[in-house]
Amino acid sequence: MNHMIGALNKGKNTMIESPTGSGKSLALLCAVLAWRRSLIAKQKKLAKQVERIVMNFGKHNPLLLRDKFGNTDHPSDTVEPDEKLSSNDKTPVDVKQEPVSPKKSVNSKDPEDDSKTSIGLLLAKALFYREQTLTYILDMAKSRKLEGVSEEDIAVLQEVKDSGIRATHTPKVYFGSRTHKQVSQLVDELRRKTPYRLQTAVLGSRAQTCIYSKREKIGSESVEDMCRSLRDDEKCDPHTNFRRILSHKTIVRGGELEIWDLEDLVKLGRKTNACPYYASREMAINAELIFCPYNYILDPTVRDAAGIELANSVVIFDEAHNIENAARDAASFEVTDKALGILAFECAKMIENRILISSHNSIKNVAETLANWLQQEDNVYEYIDYEMQTSVWPKPDWPVEQLLKDLMLTPDVVQNLKIAYSVIDDYIRKLRKDKNDGPHLKWLEFDDMDPENENLARPNIRPMRHLSSSSMRIVDGLIRMLSISWPGSKFANDYRIAIMRCPNPEARSDFQPIIRSKWKKRLSSIPRNIPLQLNTLAFWCMNPGVIFQKISDLSWSVVLTSGTLSPLESYASELQVDFASTLEASHVIHPDRFCALSVQCGPSGAPMEAKYKTIDQLSFQDDMGEAIVSITKKCPDGMLVFAPSYALLNKLFARWELTGVLAEINVHKEVFIEPQGGSSEFDKLLKAFRKYLYKSENIGQPSARGAIIFAVYRGKVSEGIDFSDYFCRTVVNIGIPYPAFKDVQVILKREYNDAHSVPKPGSSRQLLNGSKWYNIQAFRAINQALGRCLRHKNDWGAIIMLESRFAHPWNISQLSKWVRGSLQVYYTLGEAQQYLEKFYQERIQGDLLNEAVDGGVVTLELVDDK
């Protein structure tokens, strides 16, 4: 907390790594709120000091005051007292004065002048125009001794002037985390465990907050487009009523939901038939503390749509270990030929309805040009990986400028695109404000679909009065990317343009489109020519500083925090931000309550290295299986095993089924495998895993069967899931999860970093070379997986690395501080097992003793065993 408060006092950026279980997030939140409370008190005190100094200056130097604020040429003389004066005297006064005679003593008082202009009125103006007044007093003090103003007073005024807006502005706090689940946990802790009560807001998507009763019947239409359509037609009662939430007794200051989460707001919205989405947006305007997923802060489009103002705000990124990749993703943009076809089709309908013909035609031409280019059969792809083909610009003989000229996407065309977008956006805003539907238009209906149009695999089946939200986002993204990509723009060299081609999933025989039931029959009767290939245009950002540098420039301070930030060396260079301080905290858990070890060789005596050349060897697969079996025999309760990829997991499981290893594992642990599907499948797995452990008898004892999850690094199991206590007593790591070596974006990023690893003339920017960047990505993934157990100070667990490369000091140095300081390296699994078995026994007996003490019964046998 002290580390963070020090950075905030200086208005600097900082990084803080504190292991999971240390109460990091709540501690940092309390620190920033305490600092903010202290800042408000200091600002009030400083404001009183400034008011006192200005009053003394005016009373003792009335002619100087009148010379500044009583002169007819001063622009402040036109100010209406009712609007801008902080005085209680609201009577209009003629403040026109004759210039002060140079023969008069500047400090002498003239009763006649006092009668013409009220000193009180001039002082009120001086206080209102504080910045001008401070500058004037400081300038006067350079050439003369001012009566009633001491040297200490001048120092105070100079401090205020140097601080600028920060002397009076109280910053908002934006607390961003990776997922809404993490936000919910923090809001709950803030409400239950702290005394802070201030105006808060939680931002979420329409999908999370929509309570429209017929939403599930909408089918394939996006929630955002549905929402806007219902609002346009005035058919959404919750939106009409959203202000009911703002004044509800539970939400206002002192109410039971004064600190609220989205789930609270959704429940209240259902109760009052009021929209939680728009209520949360409204409350965020005046909120002092705002929680949101951190893509809301990173993505400029989302940030603008959510009304997030970062100027002089404190921005905290929790779980920030992926912030570099997240920032690059936020600065990148991709669009398919299908989406471009839908955009062109919508524009054609607007033109047919004679709506803003020129503007829609400009967008239609660009969309058709890009879609036709993507679909050309003679496109050449230099990167071919399984089913994905990719071509990237710039090429040695084909620069980006020439590519854009070939596509007729010149700066003039892009400028016309900007104008068209602005005109259409204004039209949509005006249309939404207009309560009347206007003239009758031929809306886009299902029957208007052209069955021969390859670009339109799924119709927009709602009436249209304007371009859909998804199409407007595409236009906005294209404008941003095309503007950036032209040579000469600030970030042109930080982008790569790519086209990709892969099989169209909709062309598969087993593909089932999601569409409303009443349209299924009509859809089946219309022939659809679905293209076999899906083509994508991508603008890939190689430099996360494109996004992050502006965030830092706007903010008061930026704080990066996570339990697994290590290795720290790349953040400043990648994000192009100075971090004045960094902190790597130790774990709150006593060293006796966890063990960390690595094993070099498997049961066969061969080194265990999960490399590309070894993972197909049966000896490696057998050694890994036997090692895990031996651990499951001794490990109580829950256990997690992480592998670099699903491909490796599939190979291991195929071999283990043949050899009987999988069946032997299942004797000791119920086996679960992390699904590759969506969140719903993962939620089912996690619920079943927890339910199985919860039902097990004799938790914590060796006889308990327990359960095991096989998962991948960077997957859902490794990111932010709390496996505390008996849900995870052991984490086993297989291999080192380097990014896919042949992945096109990885190749391009490595090349980009190599090109910028040596500072260019006139630039101090220096990135880590491609190899170092590549290595860091792997070890951050490992560190994140290691944090799944040991979730609080009374927890305990073991970390086992089945990888010979963790005998090397450099690899160990890349681990988080709390792991690398405790890691023990063993040559054979047998040596490691002796230590591991002893650790398990001591911890199990310790738990049994604690349970007996808590229950009021201590047996002699337990005491003797301990």
Side-chain angles (χ1 to χ4, degrees), residues 412-427:
D412 289 341
V413 172
V414 176
Q415 182 60 31
N416 289 337
L417 200 61
K418 289 180 181 178
I419 295 172
Y421 177 84
S422 178
V423 170
I424 295 172
D425 187 55
D426 288 343
Y427 162 77

Side-chain angles (χ1 to χ4, degrees), residues 6 32 64 142 186 209 234 265 306 311 337 413 462 615 623 639 659 662 668 713 716 735 785 857:
V32 72
L64 287 179
K142 293 176 182 178
L186 191 57
T209 54
E234 297 184 4
L265 215 61
D337 56 344
V413 172
R462 289 187 62 83
I615 58 176
D623 272 354
M639 178 173 162
T659 61
L662 189 58
H668 306 286
Y713 299 103
K716 289 184 172 63
V857 179

Side-chain angles (χ1 to χ4, degrees), residues 610 620 624 628 641-644 648 652 713 732-736 802:
F620 166 81
M624 198 59 66
I628 291 175
V641 179
F642 290 98
L648 176 55
L652 292 176
Y713 299 103
V732 176
N733 290 51
I734 299 174
I736 299 178
L802 301 180

Side-chain angles (χ1 to χ4, degrees), residues 103-138:
K103 296 182 181 180
K104 293 182 180 181
S105 170
V106 294
N107 288 326
S108 62
K109 293 186 177 182
D110 189 333
E112 183 179 348
D113 288 341
D114 282 348
S115 64
K116 293 181 179 179
T117 304
S118 165
I119 292 296
L121 180 60
L122 295 178
L123 283 173
K125 293 177 70 174
L127 289 171
F128 182 81
Y129 293 99
R130 193 174 77 164
E131 185 176 346
Q132 296 179 31
T133 304
L134 265 59
T135 301
Y136 180 62
I137 294 175
L138 291 171

Side-chain angles (χ1 to χ4, degrees), residues 460-480:
N460 181 347
I461 56 180
R462 289 187 62 83
M464 285 184 59
R465 287 175 287 185
H466 50 72
L467 296 185
S468 64
S469 299
S470 55
S471 289
M472 289 296 285
R473 284 195 298 271
I474 290 172
V475 180
D476 179 55
L478 287 173
I479 290 171
R480 287 190 294 111

Side-chain angles (χ1 to χ4, degrees), residues 603-604 621-631 656 661 829 833:
S604 70
Q621 297 172 8
D622 291 342
D623 272 354
M624 198 59 66
E626 289 185 40
I628 291 175
V629 166
S630 65
I631 296 170
W656 295 348
V661 167
L829 182 62
Q833 277 187 303

Side-chain angles (χ1 to χ4, degrees), residues 753-813:
N753 275 45
D754 284 337
H756 292 83
S757 60
V758 178
K760 295 182 179 180
S763 173
S764 60
R765 184 186 178 207
Q766 182 177 6
L767 297 179
L768 299 179
N769 64 40
S771 294
K772 287 184 177 179
W773 172 86
Y774 185 71
N775 286 329
I776 282 175
Q777 307 312 304
F779 285 96
R780 284 208 183 118
I782 288 178
N783 288 328
Q784 183 64 12
L786 296 180
R788 292 316 90 209
C789 67
L790 306 177
R791 307 293 294 184
H792 56 84
K793 68 177 181 178
N794 294 321
D795 207 349
W796 64 267
I799 292 168
I800 306 168
M801 298 183 174
L802 301 180
E803 174 58 60
S804 64
R805 285 171 285 180
F806 279 107
H808 301 305
W810 188 88
N811 289 334
I812 295 174
S813 71

